[in-house]
Amino acid sequence: MTSDYCLLLLFVPPTQEDAVIDWLLQNHPGLTFTSAAVAAHTGEAEGLSIIEQVSGRKRQVCFSVTAPTAQCPALLEHIQSAFAGTAIRYQLVPLVGQGVF
């Protein structure tokens, strides 16, 4: 099954939240996205503050971006270029369905 749309999940440090919102709105105004505060969990301590290591979670903002599948490679390249070195993590998955009720 091929999908016409993909779902790009961006896991962004809170310090980069406004920059990502502004960048998405300015550079890709046709995309639909949402954002929410999330807690990232990992067993690796690298890159975690002492407080994050003790609490077992790292505060992040998750952006869910819906985009046409054909645009996803270029979108990822643009994000990588614009936010290099900011520790943004991503996941890209085919979107099997979407709609409005």
Side-chain angles (χ1 to χ4, degrees):
M1 170 187 277
T2 58
S3 177
D4 294 335
Y5 286 87
C6 64
L7 181 63
L8 174 61
L9 300 172
L10 300 172
F11 300 94
V12 176
T15 57
Q16 295 296 314
E17 178 181 14
D18 290 338
V20 171
I21 291 170
D22 291 344
W23 186 88
L24 285 169
L25 291 172
Q26 290 173 7
N27 295 286
H28 297 278
L31 293 180
T32 300
F33 68 92
T34 59
S35 62
V38 297
H41 304 272
T42 180
E44 297 184 20
E46 184 178 339
L48 299 178
S49 71
I50 297 296
I51 292 172
E52 291 168 340
Q53 290 177 41
V54 171
S55 69
R57 64 182 159 260
K58 182 174 188 164
R59 299 286 175 215
Q60 298 274 275
V61 178
C62 179
F63 286 84
S64 299
V65 183
T66 302
T69 300
Q71 292 180 13
C72 289
L75 178 59
L76 280 174
E77 281 183 32
H78 293 153
I79 292 169
Q80 182 180 17
S81 175
F83 294 98
T86 57
I88 291 176
R89 299 179 58 85
Y90 76 92
Q91 296 174 348
L92 183 63
V93 295
L95 193 57
V96 220
Q98 65 174 332
V100 177
F101 294 106

